């Protein structure tokens, strides 16, 4: 039986993750127009700036996620979570009133640092949950992620249609209100006798990748999964710019389309993954999912109208059966005592893809969509991502044969 204090804490963490995801989502549809406005460029050139902004955010999150985790082990979860919320709120205020692109970079660096608190919020849930309640409570964390990424772009797109600054006001208000709420209701979850000294060696993010080499039988699967993550990031990086450039969409249309992605991904991961695995088995589910991913990306690159684009979007989202199935298969190849280390590898691969992909994909979009492009092909980033998926499929085929033998 949960006490009222415990329920309030869990609800606060749910709100924290939901608001973090909402805050990230609401600004996606309006970033192209804001960058255009501040940099006095067109949407094609703005994409390269947007790519480097995402790069800055991802680098800070990669570097500081283990640092904040270590600080929360030393000083407790509460101060780290509250300071991160306050920092995010102030960051959105800064972005709302940014007078130049340089200030956008300052804001994204701050947001990346403060957004690294996801691991601390998860640790808080682990601290306060009884063993039999952990699965349910972590499920709520997953639900907050999903709901935030569904509602965020839709709210941002609709609110930003008349004024690109409005979504930033919304994100700032939500973050600061949640900070004030937590200031009064959030107790500390980590007792003083369970805290440890801060260790810079344990806070080194690069140590995550040393562990990959410990699993030589799984290297090809890790490589294929990494390519999958890089390819998938092309949608996050260029979708807003591509649809505005190619189909003359407004912020609301961009936001609604990303909301559709969120709903479809939720259905696929919540329902379809289990059904496909049960019917075809893990090996075929991985290959089918990767193939659908690739076909969806190819469809994006070649879309000549909105109907084809949305058709490709459905196919792409159905490809979402691949990553969780692949992670499950890899997990089954690793001893129970090393599962935490394995999750660290997965996190590291996602983080590295989030750093590498934005500059590459945004540059591809700009290079092949600018007015003097040697080859005019605005969907180039999606096509290159399709080629990455084809190579990933080859790696998966080789690796899965080795695992079977």
């Amino acid at each position: 039986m949960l006490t009222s204090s415990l329920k309030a804490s869990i609800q606060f963490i749910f709100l924290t993750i939901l608001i973090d995801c909402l805050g990230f989502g609401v600004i996606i549809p309006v970033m192209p127009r804001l960058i255009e406005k501040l940099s006095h460029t067109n949407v094609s050139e703005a994409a390269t700036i947007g790519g480097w902004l995402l790069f800055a955010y991802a680098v800070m999150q990669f570097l500081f996620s283990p640092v904040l985790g270590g600080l929360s082990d030393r000083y407790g979860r509460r101060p780290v979570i509250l300071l991160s919320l306050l920092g995010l709120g102030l960051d959105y205020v800064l972005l709302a009133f940014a007078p130049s692109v340089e200030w956008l970079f300052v804001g994204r660096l701050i947001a990346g640092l403060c957004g690294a608190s996801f691991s601390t919020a998860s640790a808080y849930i682990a601290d306060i949950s009884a063993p039999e309640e952990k699965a349910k409570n972590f499920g709520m964390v997953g639900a907050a992620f999903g709901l935030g990424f569904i509602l965020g772009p839709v709210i941002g797109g609709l609110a930003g249609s008349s004024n690109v600054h409005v979504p930033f006001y919304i994100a700032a208000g939500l973050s600061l209100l949640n900070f004030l709420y937590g200031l009064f209701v959030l107790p500390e979850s980590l007792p003083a006798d369970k805290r440890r000294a801060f260790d810079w060696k344990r806070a080194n993010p690069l140590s995550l990748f040393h562990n990959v080499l410990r699993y030589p039988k799984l290297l090809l699967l890790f490589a294929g999964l990494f390519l999958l993550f890089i390819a998938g990031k092309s949608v996050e990086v260029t979708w807003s710019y591509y649809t505005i450039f190619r189909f003359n969409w407004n912020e609301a249309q961009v936001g609604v389309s990303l909301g559709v992605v969120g709903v479809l991904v939720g259905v696929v991961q919540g329902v379809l993954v289990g059904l496909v695995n049960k019917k075809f088995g893990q090996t075929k589910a991985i290959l089918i999912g990767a193939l659908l991913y690739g076909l969806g990306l190819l469809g994006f690159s070649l879309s000549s109208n909105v109907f084809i684009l949305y058709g490709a979007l459905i196919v792409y989202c159905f490809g979402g059966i691949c990553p969780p199935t692949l992670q499950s298969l890899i997990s089954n190849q690793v001893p129970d005592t090393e599962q935490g280390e394995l999750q660290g590898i997965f996190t590291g691969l996602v983080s590295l893809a989030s750093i590498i992909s934005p500059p590459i994909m945004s540059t591809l979009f700009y290079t092949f969509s600018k007015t003097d492009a040697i080859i005019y092909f605005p969907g180039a980033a999606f096509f290159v991502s399709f080629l990455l998926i084809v190579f990933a499929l080859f790696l998966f085929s080789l690796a899965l044969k080795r695992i079977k033998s």
Side-chain angles (χ1 to χ4, degrees):
M1 187 74 178
L2 292 177
T3 65
S4 58
S5 175
L6 195 57
K7 284 182 180 178
S9 298
I10 292 173
Q11 289 168 359
F12 174 80
I13 296 298
F14 176 86
L15 277 175
T16 295
I17 294 173
L18 174 61
I19 288 172
D20 279 359
C21 294
L22 275 172
F24 184 82
V26 295
I27 68 174
I28 292 175
V30 298
M31 281 303 285
R33 297 299 186 204
L34 181 63
I35 294 171
E36 282 184 82
K37 179 182 176 181
L38 294 179
S39 62
H40 309 291
T41 58
N42 58 36
V43 70
S44 182
E45 294 173 285
T48 58
I49 298 172
W52 286 109
L53 285 170
L54 286 172
F55 169 85
Y57 177 90
V59 167
M60 292 298 284
Q61 198 163 51
F62 173 70
L63 293 175
F64 283 93
S65 186
V67 173
L68 290 186
L71 289 174
S72 77
D73 284 342
R74 173 66 183 88
Y75 298 106
R77 319 295 188 206
R78 174 184 159 88
V80 172
I81 291 172
L82 291 179
L83 284 174
S84 293
L85 276 174
L86 179 61
L88 275 177
L90 296 176
D91 162 58
Y92 289 128
V93 172
L94 173 63
L95 292 178
F97 295 100
S100 66
V101 168
E102 289 76 16
W103 282 103
L104 292 183
F105 277 97
V106 173
R108 289 293 82 191
L109 290 170
I110 295 171
L113 192 159
C114 296
S117 62
F118 284 127
S119 57
T120 306
S122 297
Y124 191 102
I125 290 290
D127 291 340
I128 65 175
S129 301
E132 65 274 11
E133 295 286 333
K134 281 188 178 180
K136 183 182 76 172
N137 291 340
F138 277 116
M140 287 181 64
V141 171
F145 267 102
L147 192 59
F149 283 120
I150 291 170
L151 296 178
V154 177
I155 294 171
L158 295 174
S161 294
S162 57
N163 187 328
V164 294
H165 298 283
V166 171
F168 296 96
Y169 302 148
I170 293 172
L174 289 172
S175 293
L176 293 174
L177 283 173
N178 201 34
F179 163 75
L180 291 173
Y181 175 53
L183 200 60
F184 294 104
V185 306
L186 187 69
E188 179 53 64
S189 66
L190 189 66
D193 60 341
K194 290 186 178 180
R195 299 180 189 182
R196 65 171 177 86
F198 182 80
D199 184 354
W200 280 107
K201 289 183 179 178
R202 295 179 70 169
N204 177 11
L206 298 178
S207 64
L208 292 170
F209 303 109
H210 297 161
N211 298 325
V212 173
L213 299 177
R214 295 188 53 207
Y215 306 100
K217 193 176 180 181
L218 301 175
L219 283 179
L220 290 179
L221 290 179
F222 284 136
L225 184 62
F226 182 55
L227 292 177
L228 214 67
F229 289 149
I230 290 178
K233 286 290 175 183
S234 68
V235 178
E236 179 185 323
V237 173
T238 64
W239 181 264
S240 299
Y241 303 91
Y242 175 72
T243 52
I244 290 170
F245 179 88
R246 187 80 174 82
F247 303 106
N248 199 30
W249 278 9
N250 58 32
E251 289 82 2
Q253 289 169 305
V254 173
V256 169
S257 71
L258 292 172
V260 170
V261 171
V263 171
L264 287 173
V265 168
V267 171
V268 168
Q269 295 195 350
V271 179
L272 203 59
V273 170
L275 293 176
V276 173
N277 274 267
K278 187 175 181 180
K279 184 171 179 61
F280 298 104
Q282 284 187 320
T283 298
K284 288 185 178 178
I286 289 168
L287 297 177
I288 291 170
L291 179 62
L292 291 173
Y293 248 148
L295 291 175
L297 288 163
L298 181 62
F300 294 156
S301 71
L302 301 175
S303 291
S304 57
N305 59 61
V306 173
F307 297 105
I308 295 174
L309 184 72
Y310 264 101
L313 189 66
I314 294 170
V315 174
Y316 172 80
C317 290
F318 279 10
I321 62 177
C322 179
T325 305
L326 181 57
Q327 290 181 24
S328 174
L329 183 140
I330 292 173
S331 178
N332 291 337
Q333 307 297 314
V334 173
D336 290 342
T337 54
E338 299 174 18
Q339 290 297 317
E341 189 173 86
L342 179 64
Q343 296 307 312
I345 291 173
F346 289 148
T347 302
L349 293 176
V350 173
S351 298
L352 193 59
S354 299
I355 292 170
I356 292 173
S357 190
I360 295 172
M361 298 304 172
S362 59
T363 301
L364 282 169
F365 172 71
Y366 167 68
T367 302
F368 291 95
S369 64
K370 61 183 179 178
T371 51
D372 59 343
I374 298 174
I375 300 174
Y376 179 78
F377 186 26
F382 298 130
F383 187 77
V384 169
S385 297
F386 160 71
L387 296 178
L388 291 177
I389 297 293
V390 171
F391 187 49
L393 268 167
F394 172 69
L395 295 178
F396 292 153
S397 299
L398 290 178
L400 293 170
K401 285 178 184 176
R402 291 183 184 180
I403 289 175
K404 281 184 177 180
S405 59

